[in-house]
Amino acid sequence: MTQSTQTEIELLAEKEYEYGFVTDVEQERIPKGLSEETVRLISAKKEEPEWLLEWRLKAYRRFLQMLAEENEPTWANVTFPKIDYQDMYYYAAPKPRDELESLDDVDPEIRATYDKLGIPLAEQERLAGVKIAVDAVFDSVSVATTYKAELEKQGIIFGSFSEAVKQHPELIRKYLGSVVPYSDNFYAALNSAVFSDGSFAYVPKGVRCPMELSTYFRINAQETGQFERTLIIAEEGAYVSYLEGCTAPMRDENQLHAAVVELVALDDAEIKYSTVQNWYPGDKDGKGGIYNFVTKRGACRGRRSKISWTQVETGSAITWKYPSCILQGDDSVGEFYSVALTNNMQQADTGTKMIHIGKNTKSTIISKGISAGRGQQSYRGLVRIGPKAHGARNYSQCDSLLLGDQCGAHTFPYLEVKNASSTVEHEATTSKIGEDQLFYCMQRGLSEEDAISMIVNGFCREVLRELPMEFAVEAQKLLGISLEGAVG
Amino acid sequence: MTSLDATNERLRALCDAAEISGARDEAPLGALRSAGREAFRTTGLPHTKLEEWRYTHLAPLSNLTLELPIAEAPVDRALVEALATPVFACGLAVFANGRPRNELFGLPTGDVELLPLSAGSPVLGSLVDVKLHPFAALNAALLDDGVIVRIPAGAQVEHPIHLVFVSSSPQASLISSPRVVIEAGAGSHAIVVQDHVSVAGGRPHVTNAVTEVRVGENAHLELAVLQREDDSDIHIANLAVHLERDSRFASHVVTLGGRLIRNDLTAVLAGAGADCTMHGLYVGTGERLIDNHTLVDHAVPNGTSRELYKGILADDSRGVFRGRVVVRPDAQKTDASQQNPNLLLSDGTEIDTKPQLEIYADDVKCSHGSAIGRIDEEALFYLRARGIGAREARALLTRGFAAEILAALPGQPLGEALTADFVARFATGAEQ
């Protein structure tokens, strides 16, 4: 590797987090610590019905049990000090003004924050002329949703989770916990007990959602855990594309983000879920940063349904995340496209699960890992073909690119096949940028910078092209900050 | 009490019995035996909650009431010739229920020395940690005797060294604990064949083998492990290899028989420039469960490893494969590849495969791949269009799938003999 390449890589390693500011808004918080009282208080603040409180309490008891049995997951290839679940705020909200009449009523400080993040809340400001309905979640609560009226005309429900609990309790009651039960895992149990808000989307039968739905998550308050819950339902023949983005201020302590996302696709429905995750990753020495412990799962319940996960993971001190698909309906399709970047002291253990239950179900997994600095990265995936999944098909590809001699890249795929008529393929490679590829490009007159940029770009392209156009811009900008920008 | 607990009790009792009858408990074996006993008493048998054993249930083992092989098994030259894979012109060593039968040892072994374990070897007990491998601990605790294969430095051994392990459980189920040490001296070249067979009839036999291999500088060793026991037998094997600078090692593990087979194969590339090849072929018929765990540990720079494990599963058989490739922080310029293709022939089969890369160095080239599928319909059509019957076409394609491993076996007669065995077993065992 030549001197200039070395410098590029060092440049990349030294790039600072640009969303690390704190917004000064009046906060309303529930005292620190986790107890039945906390759970009841959150539920009361949300004016929730009795059954939801009961559900939360069941989850809380399950969590306590898991905590007592020391069931905190330890199998992931990450290390971090034990989390004290009492030393944390479980609810923080911008102090409510009077009932929000319109977007203009949103706290100007918060609006300024989102503007700074490049998420205009005002409806007239449109990203590149394309309409995106945005639900903005600030710490624990949803602060604004745009384009609501326009969506409602088509029967699409999109907004904050707590609002949906009040307005569409029948839907919430039917689907909440139906994909990720409260007892699913340690962090899901915690989330189910204390989740404060999140987004809810419902697309009725035969409706193709005319615009991208988007949620922007922002952790602002100190020593706060963010526990949001997202539920998306696509009825028969519906289509929806959903985007989420996340940022957090720079702080010295670690903050916990334990979210749960549930997707339900009925016959012929399609859900496309894209994430650009850019939580604060901590500083160069690994001080601070978000623990991103997230459970995401989609159920392809109907025939010919499709769920597609696309993620660009560049932030967080630790990422523990496995967006999964349960391919229950015959001919259903699951997809997982991922770019994960770990730099400095970041650790990521991410991947997917594809559970094939129905006949002729198909899944594709494309995972690209880029490891730099002292970053450690693992792909962990499960492909399970059940005994009745005749003709099931899976293709997985996991590639890792190593930049620097102190980082690591690991692959832990599990393939469990119980049906002989299925076909499963898994491939993985790990290497540094190919010297011969560089040579080939440079021999044809490209500068070294351009050549590296081209190779890295090509390395991630399969995933980036899956992102909706408007989001790809942000994703590329993000990767650009850490990679393409540094080399190109 | 579960049946696994009961088996643990039983095995611990056997360990105690072996301790009491341990007349041979002098150095160097005494320390190994007591370390094994100690470790096994603490850990007991592994269970499916352990990641290493999550797909392998020991039910076929825990259903047996095991005894130690006290009496000499009736094994003679004629029986060995009938059972063993024909390897022409070779040095022969025969073990009955794990115990060497010197009267059946045959020449020529050339410069190679075949010694009892009591002769001592620095390799013995140094490559397999009994604390990490419960079955290796059990092997050490129940250790009777085994063999040290000492290949002197610079020796070019022309004929394969053929170690035949005959197991026989005529009345009660016996557990034998063969132990093999191979010392390949610097610059030597040799082929060693471990051939596991069993006497038909009787009760299910358990073989719990440990093999430790050190390949010296510039040495080249080919090791074939053939598991061809009776369909009711259980075979647990732990094979650990230590490769020194610029050495070459190739293993060929072929599993054709048995009820439950578990192989732990670990190769540490401890010297720069070492080259390791791991070949495996596992063939499942009936209710057989075959579990192969391999680990290639690139500890120093410039190592090369090639791993190819192929599986063919029919009837209600199950395959488990876990291949780990670890590249340590300093092991730059490592070139590692691993492949695990599997052919599923019937609906009752199951395969759980887990190829795994752990890379801590950046200037490396590592890849792994795994594929699971059935016989290609187009290939089948091609053959049938040329007048070959469906059954025969399937057999041809299955054989073709296995040929890559069988053809690479060291020594032509070995490859041919194994192919014949493969074809014979498959014709009778699997529904095509």
Side-chain angles (χ1 to χ4, degrees):
Chain A
M1 199 176 269
T2 60
Q3 194 53 48
S4 79
T5 323
Q6 207 67 53
T7 329
E8 304 304 342
I9 290 163
E10 274 159 23
L11 252 179
L12 128 82
E14 279 157 21
K15 201 76 193 178
E16 295 254 340
Y17 188 70
E18 71 172 310
Y19 305 105
F21 56 87
V22 182
T23 312
D24 189 17
V25 281
E26 265 191 281
Q27 290 284 342
E28 186 192 8
R29 289 207 281 211
I30 290 180
K32 249 187 196 178
L34 179 62
S35 65
E36 195 169 317
E37 204 45 44
T38 322
V39 178
R40 284 181 187 280
L41 213 56
I42 293 172
S43 188
K45 279 217 177 290
K46 297 271 154 198
E47 297 164 30
E48 282 172 0
E50 189 59 30
W51 63 265
L52 192 51
L53 173 64
E54 277 309 311
W55 194 76
R56 281 176 183 276
L57 288 173
K58 271 195 273 183
Y60 170 68
R61 282 174 207 128
R62 183 82 188 107
F63 175 75
L64 281 191
Q65 195 190 341
M66 284 173 161
L67 197 64
E69 290 167 4
E70 302 197 341
N71 269 343
E72 221 169 326
T74 50
W75 40 262
N77 194 17
V78 294
T79 49
F80 57 92
K82 229 176 159 50
I83 298 172
D84 182 355
Y85 292 94
Q86 294 305 336
D87 189 29
M88 192 181 334
Y89 291 101
Y90 283 86
Y91 182 86
K95 203 151 209 166
R97 302 177 158 203
D98 301 328
E99 196 61 23
L100 294 184
E101 279 299 318
S102 79
L103 281 170
D104 299 334
D105 295 338
V106 174
D107 191 318
E109 286 282 349
I110 294 176
R111 288 190 59 173
T113 304
Y114 281 99
D115 284 342
K116 218 163 160 183
L117 294 167
I119 312 298
L121 288 183
E123 290 189 37
Q124 63 270 32
E125 289 182 55
R126 296 171 183 181
L127 273 169
V130 182
K131 285 186 197 171
I132 300 180
V134 180
D135 181 32
V137 176
F138 198 82
D139 284 328
S140 302
V141 295
S142 173
V143 289
T145 308
T146 59
Y147 287 115
K148 227 173 155 166
E150 205 173 320
L151 290 168
E152 266 167 19
K153 274 185 224 149
Q154 301 213 32
I156 299 167
I157 305 164
F158 177 56
S160 77
F161 197 90
S162 32
E163 224 174 76
V165 169
K166 284 181 200 146
Q167 288 166 9
H168 308 281
E170 70 298 340
L171 285 173
I172 301 283
R173 198 163 182 179
K174 185 169 172 194
Y175 289 106
L176 178 71
S178 74
V179 186
V180 181
Y182 66 81
S183 55
D184 190 77
N185 68 65
F186 189 78
Y187 301 114
L190 178 62
N191 173 288
S192 304
V194 300
F195 74 88
S196 34
D197 212 334
S199 291
F200 173 79
Y202 172 84
V203 187
K205 193 170 170 179
V207 173
R208 197 181 159 85
C209 186
M211 62 186 83
E212 313 279 352
L213 303 183
S214 170
T215 303
Y216 217 90
F217 294 101
R218 170 86 182 158
I219 296 180
N220 190 58
Q222 207 159 1
E223 296 171 74
T224 310
Q226 176 155 317
F227 307 94
E228 83 269 1
R229 198 156 182 118
T230 300
L231 176 58
I232 299 175
I233 299 145
E235 287 272 12
E236 288 164 34
Y239 169 85
V240 60
S241 169
Y242 180 90
L243 326 164
E244 68 173 1
C246 352
T247 56
M250 290 161 78
R251 294 196 194 283
D252 282 349
E253 86 268 19
N254 295 106
Q255 282 175 288
L256 178 64
H257 170 249
V260 171
V261 176
E262 295 177 282
L263 311 183
V264 179
L266 302 180
D267 284 2
D268 297 296
E270 180 177 347
I271 301 176
K272 189 172 168 60
Y273 195 104
S274 314
T275 308
V276 171
Q277 185 263 105
N278 189 27
W279 297 118
Y280 176 53
D283 70 4
K284 257 200 306 238
D285 305 312
K287 202 167 179 201
I290 304 287
Y291 292 163
N292 190 32
F293 300 159
V294 178
T295 307
K296 291 186 168 178
R297 195 173 302 154
C300 284
R301 297 233 168 111
R303 291 161 165 268
R304 296 171 299 278
S305 55
K306 179 176 174 185
I307 288 179
S308 172
W309 298 99
T310 307
Q311 58 174 26
V312 175
E313 302 278 321
T314 57
S316 297
I318 300 175
T319 302
W320 179 99
K321 180 178 169 187
Y322 315 91
S324 312
C325 296
I326 298 169
L327 304 169
Q328 209 172 330
D330 292 349
D331 301 298
S332 57
V333 177
E335 291 175 341
F336 175 75
Y337 299 95
S338 166
V339 168
L341 180 111
T342 50
N343 197 354
N344 296 325
M345 297 290 279
Q346 276 176 278
Q347 306 173 59
D349 194 299
T350 182
T352 183
K353 283 185 190 178
M354 292 291 172
I355 313 291
H356 292 254
I357 298 169
K359 292 189 185 79
N360 298 316
T361 43
K362 290 193 192 72
S363 62
T364 306
I365 300 170
I366 307 284
S367 165
K368 305 279 178 181
I370 302 155
S371 226
R374 281 176 286 168
Q376 293 291 338
Q377 183 160 139
S378 306
Y379 166 81
R380 187 182 301 277
L382 168 70
V383 175
R384 178 180 288 156
I385 312 280
K388 289 184 182 142
H390 298 290
R393 184 83 178 81
N394 162 267
Y395 174 74
S396 317
Q397 191 188 334
C398 314
D399 297 323
S400 308
L401 201 60
L402 296 163
L403 304 169
D405 55 5
Q406 289 185 69
C407 56
H410 321 292
T411 322
F412 306 92
Y414 291 70
L415 314 177
E416 303 178 359
V417 179
K418 291 191 172 76
N419 188 300
S421 65
S422 57
T423 309
V424 176
E425 291 168 275
H426 172 93
E427 280 174 30
T429 61
T430 304
S431 61
K432 64 174 194 171
I433 286 186
E435 300 282 347
D436 45 352
Q437 291 176 352
L438 269 181
F439 177 76
Y440 180 91
C441 295
M442 288 170 70
Q443 197 207 25
R444 272 147 190 81
L446 292 177
S447 72
E448 186 171 37
E449 284 178 0
D450 287 345
I452 292 174
S453 157
M454 201 163 110
I455 293 164
V456 170
N457 225 317
F459 181 73
C460 299
R461 179 134 299 168
E462 273 175 283
V463 174
L464 294 180
R465 72 168 180 220
E466 293 297 325
L467 286 172
M469 250 280 280
E470 313 73 50
F471 225 36
V473 179
E474 193 187 351
Q476 283 193 339
K477 202 176 93 189
L478 244 179
L479 270 182
I481 290 168
S482 18
L483 271 170
E484 293 176 36
V487 293
Chain B
M1 197 192 302
T2 67
S3 65
L4 197 64
D5 289 336
T7 315
N8 267 325
E9 289 281 303
R10 178 77 197 145
L11 288 171
R12 284 186 179 119
L14 291 184
C15 289
D16 294 341
E19 184 179 7
I20 294 160
S21 73
R24 279 179 291 258
D25 240 13
E26 68 280 355
L29 299 184
L32 185 60
R33 285 200 187 101
S34 59
R37 270 197 304 270
E38 198 107 320
F40 189 77
R41 271 183 196 138
T42 336
T43 59
L45 289 173
H47 46 80
T48 47
K49 282 196 181 137
L50 298 170
E51 178 69 21
E52 295 274 307
W53 292 85
R54 64 182 285 167
Y55 298 115
T56 305
H57 208 283
L58 290 173
L61 175 73
S62 52
N63 290 337
L64 304 176
T65 305
L66 293 169
E67 302 281 350
L68 288 175
I70 309 287
E72 287 274 278
V75 173
D76 57 23
R77 181 89 199 184
L79 184 68
V80 171
E81 278 175 12
L83 290 172
T85 310
V87 184
F88 303 113
C90 58
L92 178 71
V94 178
F95 304 81
N97 289 345
R99 217 176 277 172
R101 296 289 284 268
N102 291 316
E103 78 277 14
L104 295 172
F105 280 29
L107 294 171
T109 54
D111 301 329
V112 179
E113 288 180 276
L114 299 178
L115 306 164
L117 290 184
S118 54
S121 161
V123 180
L124 180 63
S126 72
L127 300 182
V128 180
D129 187 347
V130 290
K131 291 199 183 85
L132 296 179
H133 299 277
F135 278 102
L138 187 62
N139 170 286
L142 302 180
L143 191 60
D144 191 3
D145 201 353
V147 66
I148 298 168
V149 180
R150 188 165 285 160
I151 305 156
Q156 303 296 306
V157 185
E158 195 184 339
H159 303 296
I161 299 147
H162 195 180
L163 312 177
V164 181
F165 296 84
V166 183
S167 54
S168 151
S169 288
Q171 271 98 42
S173 282
L174 303 179
I175 175 166
S176 57
S177 311
R179 186 112 187 170
V180 178
V181 171
I182 303 174
E183 299 173 16
S188 66
H189 171 55
I191 299 169
V192 178
V193 180
Q194 282 189 30
D195 193 4
H196 293 273
V197 292
S198 54
V199 179
R203 305 277 306 147
H205 186 92
V206 179
T207 300
N208 177 26
V210 174
T211 305
E212 291 170 295
V213 181
R214 188 176 65 193
V215 192
E217 287 186 7
N218 274 310
H220 177 195
L221 181 74
E222 298 264 347
L223 176 66
V225 179
L226 315 177
Q227 297 168 326
R228 310 188 300 122
E229 287 120 317
D230 192 82
D231 282 347
S232 63
D233 287 352
I234 294 170
H235 190 123
I236 315 282
N238 196 314
L239 172 59
V241 188
H242 180 89
L243 283 86
E244 291 180 359
R245 191 177 58 79
D246 293 325
S247 63
R248 273 173 74 193
F249 170 80
S251 62
H252 308 262
V253 180
V254 179
T255 309
L256 298 176
R259 167 70 180 85
L260 167 68
I261 295 93
R262 161 74 177 223
N263 295 311
D264 275 284
L265 168 53
T266 307
V268 180
L269 282 74
D275 180 313
C276 176
T277 302
M278 288 180 176
H279 275 182
L281 174 68
Y282 46 97
V283 179
T285 53
E287 289 193 299
R288 183 171 307 140
L289 192 169
I290 311 155
D291 178 352
N292 277 293
H293 269 54
T294 68
L295 166 61
V296 182
D297 188 347
H298 286 268
V300 293
N302 291 310
T304 306
S305 65
R306 295 279 171 269
E307 184 173 0
L308 176 63
Y309 265 70
K310 285 191 144 184
I312 300 172
L313 299 175
D315 303 334
D316 296 314
S317 62
R318 282 189 57 191
V320 179
F321 175 79
R322 184 197 189 196
R324 264 179 90 196
V325 175
V326 179
V327 179
R328 307 259 169 213
D330 296 327
Q332 302 292 3
K333 305 279 179 203
T334 288
D335 183 353
S337 84
Q338 180 191 69
Q339 289 293 325
N340 173 231
N342 294 281
L343 191 58
L344 304 188
L345 295 178
S346 41
D347 265 344
T349 55
E350 180 179 339
I351 173 81
D352 300 298
T353 164
K354 192 183 166 200
Q356 199 172 315
L357 289 176
E358 287 170 58
I359 317 282
Y360 298 91
D362 70 326
D363 192 4
V364 299
K365 210 166 86 184
C366 297
S367 65
H368 71 200
S370 187
I372 298 153
R374 54 192 152 162
I375 285 182
D376 184 3
E377 291 297 326
E378 284 187 24
L380 208 56
F381 178 76
Y382 179 92
L383 289 173
R384 297 206 58 191
R386 274 146 190 83
I388 297 168
R391 197 188 150 91
E392 204 181 332
R394 281 177 177 277
L396 263 178
L397 290 169
T398 309
R399 187 174 153 184
F401 182 79
E404 194 178 357
I405 302 292
L406 295 173
L409 281 164
Q412 201 192 2
L414 190 56
E416 281 169 8
L418 259 286
T419 307
D421 191 352
F422 169 75
V423 171
R425 276 171 197 261
F426 230 72
T428 56
E431 41 177 85
Q432 291 282 322

